[in-house]
């Protein structure tokens, strides 16, 4: 296998899971923000429920966008695995569980 394919494959093995993790992190952050906004609206005296409704709708829209992005990246991941099998002759049974580097596995985050 040519070196450029080996380097490209190694970069993808690192970058695809890293993107998946970052999207999940963004979804968690938006979800936490949603909880904070709803809690603040509920716990602040004198604020009518209608006051924060548009903000909450925007957060829901952002969450759904991230869920859509996550699904697209998962499909890209599957496509790249198929391309790797076809082009590189890889016999891939599993993708890396997590990206190397600054990613923190969920088990250690709890």
């Amino acid at each position: 296998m040519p070196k450029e394919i080996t380097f490209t494959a190694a970069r993808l093995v690192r970058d695809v899971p890293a993107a998946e993790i970052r999207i999940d992190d963004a979804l968690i952050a938006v979800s936490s923000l949603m909880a904070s906004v709803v809690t603040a609206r509920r716990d602040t005296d004198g604020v009518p429920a209608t006051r924060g409704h548009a903000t909450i709708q925007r957060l829901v829209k952002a969450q759904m966008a991230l869920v859509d992005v996550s699904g697209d990246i998962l499909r890209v991941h599957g496509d790249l695995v198929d391309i790797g099998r076809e082009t590189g002759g890889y016999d891939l049974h599993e993708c890396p569980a997590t990206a190397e580097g600054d990613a923190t596995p969920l088990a250690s985050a709890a």
Side-chain angles (χ1 to χ4, degrees):
M1 174 173 8
K3 278 187 180 181
E4 63 269 359
I5 291 177
T6 303
F7 292 139
T8 299
R11 189 171 47 250
L12 289 170
V13 164
R14 178 195 68 220
D15 291 349
V16 171
E20 292 168 344
I21 289 169
R22 287 185 179 106
I23 293 166
D24 284 346
D25 289 344
L27 187 54
I28 291 167
V30 170
S31 298
S32 294
L33 177 58
M34 170 72 84
S36 295
V37 167
V38 173
T39 301
R41 182 179 72 167
R42 182 197 65 198
D43 293 347
T44 304
D45 292 331
V47 175
T50 57
R51 180 64 181 106
H53 189 71
T55 300
I56 292 168
Q57 283 182 313
R58 283 188 203 95
L59 284 170
V60 167
K61 189 175 179 181
Q63 282 179 318
M64 286 307 302
L66 286 168
V67 169
D68 290 342
V69 167
S70 177
D72 288 339
I73 295 300
L74 291 172
R75 283 186 283 285
V76 165
H77 191 154
D79 291 345
L80 289 171
V81 168
D82 291 342
I83 291 168
R85 284 188 186 122
E86 293 169 8
T87 353
Y90 297 126
D91 184 22
L92 301 175
H93 298 290
E94 287 186 25
C95 293
T98 60
E100 293 180 30
D102 62 345
T104 303
L106 283 179
S108 62

